[in-house]
Amino acid sequence: MGGTAADRGGFVRVRWVSGSFGVILVAGIVITVLVTARPSVPQPVAFNHRKHTEELGLNCEFCHVHVTKGAHAGLPDAQTCTMCHQAAQGTSAEATRVTTLLAEGDPLTFKKLFRLEPHVFYTHRRHVGIAELECENCHGAIAQTVRPPARPLVTIDMDFCMDCHREQGQTLDCNACHR
Ligand code: HEC
Ligand code: HEC
Ligand code: HEC
Ligand code: HEC
Ligand code: HEC
């Protein structure tokens, strides 16, 4: 009979443990969702990188004009798109919409996706112009996307910068990145 009591005790304990594990699991999921659910970035049209880079052969610099010389790479303006889309291009509904929007004088204001806090100093000139690093190192497979990603494909936080700097023997000095 003593065995039964112990079994019951064990059963109760197991239930309690799995119950609190469930609470921790749910809390963990809620926290993860809250932390990772950054607001998505809406864009004026469904731009297609793969079509323009891989299929049409345009260089990144054609649209991101400051990427080798400036701190910021820059996003294209309506004028860049007008060069080709003043006339109808292809047959897709989205290409037709681009031509219509441009004819109406829409500025096609694209919004930044990758963004650092203002206390961090970063420059493309140093990393792309001088060190000749590939875009994929930091931006992942953005050149293969067929529509604008709602969120950055790579999380660029302090560890991300530090890991490469450590591997490549570059500065780990706080003041180099926080000015
Ligand atoms: C050098 C010429 C050129 C430039 C510059 C250009 N495009 Fe295009 N774009 C094209 C061509 C050609 C197509 C049609 C390709 C096809 O359907 O195969 C196209 C297709 C598209 C489509 C449809 C994509 C799809 O998935 O069907 C969109 C959207 C688009 N362009 C947006 C833009 C925007 C926005 C800009 C400016 C940032 C731009 N394009 C700049 C040539 C260009
Ligand atoms: C024809 C113009 C065009 C070309 C060529 C082009 N891009 Fe873009 N790029 C855009 C537009 C428009 C956006 C914003 C919409 C989007 O994300 O698709 C953008 C967004 C980006 C972003 C996100 C920027 C941010 O706001 O944080 C990255 C990174 C990027 N492009 C990298 C590249 C790379 C790498 C190449 C070359 C392999 C390239 N792009 C070629 C037009 C272009
Ligand atoms: C060493 C990492 C790194 C490399 C390599 C890199 N980028 Fe970036 N890129 C960033 C960071 C970090 C940001 C966000 C910067 C900020 O908010 O100040 C960014 C932002 C951008 C943006 C957003 C617009 C802007 O002006 O800030 C575009 C477009 C872009 N990069 C394109 C490119 C292209 C194209 C290449 C390759 C030719 C490239 N990047 C290579 C780290 C990198
Ligand atoms: C993939 C590798 C890589 C990544 C990721 C990277 N860096 Fe760098 N960084 C380099 C290299 C290589 C250099 C040296 C460039 C040169 O030759 O001048 C450098 C140089 C620098 C310098 C100049 C240092 C000095 O001595 O003044 C700063 C500042 C810097 N990086 C900041 C950043 C920040 C901020 C990030 C993250 C947003 C970052 N880096 C991510 C490779 C990287
Ligand atoms: C190679 C560049 C680099 C170096 C070196 C660096 N940081 Fe950072 N730091 C960053 C980036 C990138 C972020 C993230 C900014 C963001 O979220 O946009 C950051 C964020 C921070 C934050 C804000 C909290 C957080 O984690 O987001 C603090 C505090 C900080 N760094 C302190 C330091 C200290 C102290 C040192 C020296 C031991 C240092 N950093 C060296 C790039 C660097």
Side-chain angles (χ1 to χ4, degrees):
M1 287 299 131
T4 313
D7 285 351
R8 213 181 294 126
F11 179 66
V12 169
R13 213 160 32 241
V14 167
R15 275 247 312 235
W16 186 84
V17 168
S18 63
S20 61
F21 179 70
V23 170
I24 291 165
L25 190 69
V26 170
I29 291 168
V30 169
I31 290 166
T32 308
V33 166
L34 288 177
V35 169
T36 54
R38 294 219 218 149
S40 66
V41 178
Q43 302 289 5
V45 297
F47 181 72
N48 180 331
H49 268 93
R50 191 159 74 195
K51 193 142 260 177
H52 293 83
T53 60
E54 291 189 355
E55 292 174 32
L56 299 171
L58 297 177
N59 294 326
C60 313
E61 216 180 336
F62 183 91
C63 289
H64 304 297
V65 295
H66 307 298
V67 77
T68 60
K69 300 174 293 292
H72 294 282
L75 287 166
D77 56 14
Q79 261 181 306
T80 311
C81 317
T82 305
M83 285 185 224
C84 299
H85 288 278
Q86 194 165 32
Q89 299 294 343
T91 52
S92 78
E94 199 60 8
T96 306
R97 197 164 81 85
V98 172
T99 303
T100 308
L101 287 172
L102 291 171
E104 289 167 352
D106 192 299
L108 297 191
T109 310
F110 290 100
K111 293 179 201 74
K112 243 168 92 89
L113 183 69
F114 289 85
R115 149 185 318 280
L116 293 174
E117 294 295 334
H119 60 83
V120 181
F121 176 80
Y122 167 81
T123 167
H124 280 91
R125 187 183 78 86
R126 200 72 183 249
H127 293 86
V128 177
I130 298 174
E132 298 185 342
L133 295 171
E134 298 288 339
C135 316
E136 296 84 75
N137 278 309
C138 304
H139 295 299
I142 189 131
Q144 276 86 53
T145 56
V146 295
R147 67 186 67 82
R151 294 181 183 77
L153 305 176
V154 174
T155 303
I156 303 185
D157 54 13
M158 179 155 146
D159 287 342
F160 182 84
C161 310
M162 292 297 241
D163 286 348
C164 178
H165 276 212
R166 213 171 276 121
E167 267 169 35
Q168 301 210 3
Q170 297 300 330
T171 186
L172 303 175
D173 177 5
C174 318
N175 297 322
C177 297
H178 299 286
R179 308 184 178 180

